[in-house]
Amino acid sequence: MGTIETTCVQGGYVPGDGEPRQLPIVQSTTFKYDTSEHMGRLFDLEEDGYFYTRLQNPTNDAVAKKICQLEGGSAAMLTSSGQAATFFSLFNICECGDHVVASSAIYGGSYNLLAHTMRKMGVEATFVSPTCTREELDAAFRPNTKCVFGETIANPALAVLDIELFASAAHDHGVPLIVDNTFPTPVNCRPIEWGADIVTHSTTKYMDGHASCVGGAIVDSGNFDWMAHADKFPGLTQPDESYHGIVYAKRFGNAGAFITKATSQLMRDFGSIQSPQNAYLLNIGLESLHVRMPQHCRNGQAAAEFLSAHPKVASVRYPGLPGDRYHGLAQKYMPHGTCGVVSFDVAGGRAAAERFMRALRLCTIETHVADSRTCCLHPASSTHRQMTDEELVAAGISPSMVRLSCGLEGTQDILDDLAQALEQA
Ligand SMILES: *Cc1c(COP(=O)(O)O)cnc(C)c1O
């Protein structure tokens, strides 16, 4: 498709002569056929086509194709949320009795999914520090390990994953690396180029970018050779009895097996489809992603630098800061910028952080990140308010920590608001 900029604007949907310039919303649950035989060929996956929107819809497919091109993948699908994308990407290759190696610095929802819900389904997880050595990583694998999971930039820890290290360990153990690339987006990092096999997204964040739709996406690189590790991945390499005995890896090859299976099995059975209306709005967000990300990053960088020089701020975490422990990895994997999210500790503890939050004017209080509007969260008094100060510290969140998601406003306006709120803290 050309550059990332052109793909953001024009990827996925290419209208024919006389067709709508803007991506049409195919607001239809079902599709009409002249003969049952024709529909039968679709059900047998012998021909491409649409029959029911839970499985596939032309609007969703066009947007998935754009995200696929942005990530440099071979196939992609949309899901109803980022959580659904994470779950499908894991459950597509893990079943009861299997095991996952995951970075401990991941989104809270992904942690709960792995540590609690998937455990109840018989899939166990071992969590490793994102800063672990190759030896520590190797030691986490078991004979039943089926994948490695991590986040390019972890929400909210802002730890940067050493993608090459995690990919090489995964591959030496014969399993794929799955990377959640929500925070940098493919504008700032393309994990497949560094060895990731499958990439997931919460499109709810920067991709949508306007806090309008919850959504997710899964992209397959097409690089993982399922048949070379056939015994580990029977779901892809053995006949699927629920689908006329199809063998996904043989019929669709490395390029198509993973997404075809996730669509024809998991989407069929779990039904976490994105509505075509939401996919349309997501596509409008994607059209400006390459223009918005640099401004989110400029504001994030400026806020991080301002905060780290401020006497009422105890500490700042932002991978774009030279002193940050993840700065080296950020420079390697995201030389043009990381994201707009900064976390910092207000000096003076929980009460000072609460006063700071009350004094904010431009920055609004939200349980969200990656919106066009700057938003702010004090986990200790909101998402994590049931925890004591001691429990918070154990979870890596201090009572005075604030998560700031820099939007697209003028940089000086954000800094002025932070300055006046810190004055009152
Ligand atoms: C928000 C988020 C998710 C979950 O996505 P939803 O769209 O809210 O379901 C997953 N991963 C990361 C990194 C996120 O920030």
Side-chain angles (χ1 to χ4, degrees):
M1 187 74 221
T3 59
I4 207 123
E5 292 86 349
T6 303
T7 307
C8 280
V9 181
Q10 294 211 13
Y13 172 64
V14 182
D17 195 31
E19 288 181 357
R21 185 64 196 96
Q22 175 58 292
L23 173 68
I25 305 172
V26 179
Q27 193 66 48
S28 182
T29 58
T30 191
F31 300 82
K32 167 256 170 196
Y33 287 93
D34 288 341
T35 66
S36 305
E37 289 71 28
H38 187 183
M39 190 181 273
R41 290 197 296 279
L42 302 182
F43 268 95
D44 285 347
L45 304 180
E46 273 170 13
E47 235 179 73
D48 268 348
Y50 299 95
F51 42 95
Y52 193 56
T53 284
R54 168 150 45 78
L55 291 162
Q56 276 185 295
N57 172 283
T59 308
N60 292 25
D61 280 2
V63 181
K65 191 170 170 193
K66 176 180 283 189
I67 295 173
C68 186
Q69 291 167 348
L70 287 171
E71 287 289 4
S74 65
M77 67 196 286
L78 299 187
T79 57
S80 55
S81 67
Q83 282 302 111
T86 308
F87 175 60
F88 278 21
S89 72
L90 295 164
F91 203 61
N92 206 32
I93 46 176
C94 297
E95 53 188 51
C96 185
D98 288 344
H99 174 255
V100 176
V101 174
S103 164
S104 60
I106 51 175
Y107 177 66
S110 308
Y111 177 82
N112 282 333
L113 174 67
L114 277 164
H116 303 295
T117 304
M118 287 188 72
R119 176 174 289 263
K120 288 182 201 157
M121 303 167 96
V123 178
E124 279 195 69
T126 299
F127 295 96
V128 295
S129 162
T131 57
C132 68
T133 62
R134 175 62 200 255
E135 291 65 37
E136 288 163 338
L137 193 46
D138 282 334
F141 284 83
R142 300 181 191 167
N144 59 341
T145 302
K146 296 300 167 74
C147 63
V148 177
F149 181 82
E151 245 169 75
T152 323
I153 305 177
N155 175 12
L158 301 177
V160 176
L161 188 73
D162 190 343
I163 305 173
E164 280 192 318
L165 175 74
F166 277 67
S168 90
H171 297 159
D172 288 348
H173 291 271
V175 301
L177 171 66
I178 304 175
V179 171
D180 180 336
N181 196 35
T182 297
F183 266 24
T185 82
V187 169
N188 284 339
C189 181
R190 303 194 339 148
I192 290 171
E193 290 173 356
W194 299 101
D197 300 284
I198 291 143
V199 171
T200 62
H201 279 280
S202 166
T203 61
T204 317
K205 311 294 164 53
Y206 290 114
M207 282 191 169
D208 172 286
H210 301 78
S212 57
C213 300
V214 172
I218 308 173
V219 181
D220 180 17
S221 66
N223 292 337
F224 195 80
D225 190 348
W226 305 108
M227 289 312 278
H229 307 282
D231 54 324
K232 275 193 196 294
F233 304 104
L236 285 151
T237 61
Q238 301 284 316
D240 176 4
E241 293 316 330
S242 77
Y243 223 106
H244 329 296
I246 208 166
V247 178
Y248 294 101
K250 284 198 177 137
R251 181 78 164 272
F252 301 100
N254 293 337
F258 188 87
I259 294 295
T260 307
K261 176 179 180 288
T263 303
S264 55
Q265 242 178 32
L266 302 184
M267 200 56 96
R268 178 194 65 191
D269 299 348
F270 292 105
S272 310
I273 195 73
Q274 185 164 137
S275 90
Q277 182 86 42
N278 282 8
Y280 170 86
L281 290 168
L282 168 58
N283 190 51
I284 291 185
L286 289 169
E287 284 183 17
S288 63
L289 184 65
H290 61 299
V291 182
R292 292 184 287 107
M293 283 313 288
Q295 176 72 0
H296 281 296
C297 292
R298 266 192 299 277
N299 284 343
Q301 186 73 34
E305 286 170 11
F306 169 80
L307 291 165
S308 45
H310 200 286
K312 288 197 173 170
V313 173
S315 66
V316 181
R317 255 192 246 172
Y318 186 70
L321 283 180
D324 191 84
R325 83 183 284 188
Y326 295 102
H327 186 62
L329 288 171
Q331 282 197 306
K332 172 176 175 179
Y333 293 112
M334 298 156 241
H336 304 299
T338 54
C339 64
V341 182
V342 181
S343 57
F344 62 98
D345 282 288
V346 181
R350 180 192 285 262
E354 284 170 358
R355 285 195 298 274
F356 167 81
M357 293 296 288
R358 261 198 302 279
L360 289 170
R361 292 189 200 127
L362 181 80
C363 310
T364 55
I365 299 173
E366 288 168 35
T367 319
H368 191 45
V369 288
D371 184 5
S372 57
R373 288 143 291 221
T374 296
C375 55
C376 221
L377 184 76
H378 178 223
S381 59
S382 57
T383 50
H384 294 68
R385 67 178 289 120
Q386 72 284 1
M387 291 179 155
T388 63
D389 285 6
E390 292 70 33
E391 286 170 333
L392 283 171
V393 171
I397 297 164
S398 77
S400 58
M401 192 194 100
V402 170
R403 184 182 69 185
L404 171 72
S405 170
C406 294
L408 299 176
E409 301 91 343
T411 311
Q412 196 56 48
D413 293 331
I414 298 172
L415 302 187
D416 288 348
D417 195 35
L418 296 175
Q420 66 83 20
L422 282 169
E423 244 7 88
Q424 299 177 60

